[in-house]
Amino acid sequence: MAAVNSVSFSGLSQCSDRRLPIPSARSLASHFDGFRFRKSVFCHYSGVRTSSFSSRMVIHCMASGTDVTTVAETKANFLKAYKRPIPSIYNTVVQELIVQQHLMRYKKTYRYDPVFALGFVTVYDRLMEGYPSDEDRDAIFQAYINALNEDPEQYRIDAQKLEEWARSQTAASLVEFASREGEVESILKDIAERAGSKGNFSYSRFFAIGLFRLLELANASEPSILEKLCAALNVDKKGVDRDLDVYRNLLSKLVQAKELLKEYVDREKKKRDERAGSQTASEAITKCLGEYSMQTGL
């Protein structure tokens, strides 16, 4: 489970050690309540798409009450799109997450945000690390985003674009985006303008995680850099710190649960192999005895 153990962020506290009680899928769901989004900060995505990455940031419309999809419909859409069983430790988190994101997605003021997309992709990929099948993991992602009537490919494209940009940045250039021109810089400027006006700005824990992912990729994980970036974006750093703490705590519990699951699967596999080996040996002995009896006329 090396991939699972890589989830901790540099510059932040590491996952809890193995001496802590291992949480069950049910306790993870209960803890996941802490990952809920605050009602006052949601925004509504218009569903309008343009060919320009940055222009999507400034085009939106409001949904009428008759357009709202119910939580049950969103969950049903997900289950229709992905019919295979999901291991309970993953399914518990996915089901809780899709309910929470549905409530955010259908707020009247929700607006798609590439930093938000980066945050969600980061959350999804790290929560689903170690999933038995890469193909199934990708299929679940597709079904999840489609169930919310959004574009999974756009999430991936925008997240990748921001990640590539962040890898080419330094701590200084990252926080000085306002003084430079560029596609991603324009996105960050738009966010800063909207956040500063206290108007149409979609803050959520996904957004906070997206910010931290930018810092992580730029090797700028010092707390002072996060503080400067929050100030440049007109975002409350206390809220970002709190949301990142919740996220780290969730990952810590999930890592422990995954390790327990792996130990259980390995133990059961060993038992099956031992039983199969014993059965094969017994069959071989029986066959040899039969052949011997035929040859000796017994």
Side-chain angles (χ1 to χ4, degrees):
M1 295 292 287
V4 172
N5 289 330
S6 67
V7 297
S8 59
F9 295 129
S10 58
L12 292 174
S13 60
Q14 302 296 314
C15 293
S16 304
D17 62 37
R18 290 295 309 281
R19 291 175 294 177
L20 291 174
I22 303 298
S24 64
R26 179 173 297 180
S27 68
L28 278 172
S30 176
H31 179 75
F32 207 79
D33 257 3
F35 205 67
R36 294 190 183 280
F37 302 90
R38 290 181 293 280
K39 292 182 179 179
S40 61
V41 296
F42 296 131
C43 295
H44 176 79
Y45 175 50
S46 63
V48 175
R49 305 218 183 278
T50 67
S51 58
S52 169
F53 175 76
S54 59
S55 64
R56 285 193 308 276
M57 298 291 295
V58 295
I59 300 177
H60 70 283
C61 64
M62 309 300 279
S64 66
T66 57
D67 295 330
V68 176
T69 303
T70 66
V71 172
E73 288 171 335
T74 293
K75 295 182 74 172
N77 288 339
F78 172 74
L79 295 174
K80 288 177 184 175
Y82 189 81
K83 298 181 175 9
R84 301 187 64 182
I86 300 174
S88 62
I89 191 171
Y90 297 98
N91 189 52
T92 299
V93 177
V94 168
Q95 292 298 325
E96 177 68 18
L97 191 62
I98 200 170
V99 170
Q100 294 176 23
Q101 193 164 348
H102 168 94
L103 298 176
M104 176 186 59
R105 165 70 176 85
Y106 289 103
K107 280 287 182 177
K108 289 192 295 185
T109 53
Y110 171 65
R111 183 164 153 185
Y112 177 86
D113 184 328
V115 176
F116 165 90
L118 173 60
F120 174 77
V121 168
T122 300
V123 168
Y124 181 86
D125 287 348
R126 293 189 175 179
L127 290 178
M128 298 294 282
E129 277 181 324
Y131 197 80
S133 165
D134 291 343
E135 182 179 350
D136 286 345
R137 183 178 59 206
D138 292 340
I140 293 170
F141 179 87
Q142 295 277 334
Y144 181 105
I145 300 298
N146 282 326
L148 292 161
N149 292 316
E150 292 194 310
D151 185 352
E153 296 303 321
Q154 197 65 62
Y155 268 72
R156 289 292 186 187
I157 290 170
D158 289 353
Q160 182 178 0
K161 189 178 292 289
L162 264 65
E163 286 179 337
E164 291 174 354
W165 177 83
R167 289 189 182 97
S168 68
Q169 303 302 307
T170 64
S173 66
L174 192 64
V175 299
E176 295 172 358
F177 63 85
S179 64
R180 303 197 321 275
E181 297 298 324
E183 190 173 39
V184 175
E185 286 84 353
S186 295
I187 291 169
L188 297 179
K189 290 176 189 178
D190 178 74
I191 290 172
E193 181 179 350
R194 290 186 289 114
S197 66
K198 308 298 182 184
N200 187 19
F201 170 62
S202 175
Y203 176 82
S204 72
R205 290 190 173 114
F206 287 150
F207 181 87
I209 294 163
L211 286 186
F212 193 84
R213 181 62 175 157
L214 293 177
L215 293 170
E216 189 179 43
L217 292 171
N219 294 316
S221 57
E222 299 84 356
S224 61
I225 303 301
L226 176 59
E227 183 174 3
K228 291 177 181 178
L229 181 59
C230 288
L233 289 168
N234 297 312
V235 174
D236 178 22
K237 181 178 181 292
K238 290 182 179 179
V240 172
D241 285 338
R242 181 175 59 249
D243 291 339
L244 291 176
D245 284 343
V246 171
Y247 176 54
R248 285 199 311 277
N249 199 5
L250 172 65
L251 286 180
S252 174
K253 291 180 181 294
L254 192 67
V255 165
Q256 296 170 57
K258 285 180 179 179
E259 288 175 349
L260 181 63
L261 178 63
K262 181 180 183 300
E263 291 174 2
Y264 171 77
V265 170
D266 290 345
R267 186 166 59 249
E268 291 302 305
K269 183 177 184 298
K270 183 178 179 180
K271 289 180 180 178
R272 288 196 302 270
D273 291 345
E274 289 174 349
R275 287 195 296 267
S278 177
Q279 182 177 355
T280 300
S282 177
E283 290 173 352
I285 292 172
T286 301
K287 182 178 180 181
C288 287
L289 290 174
E291 292 176 350
Y292 176 77
S293 297
M294 291 177 62
Q295 291 171 1
T296 60
L298 296 178

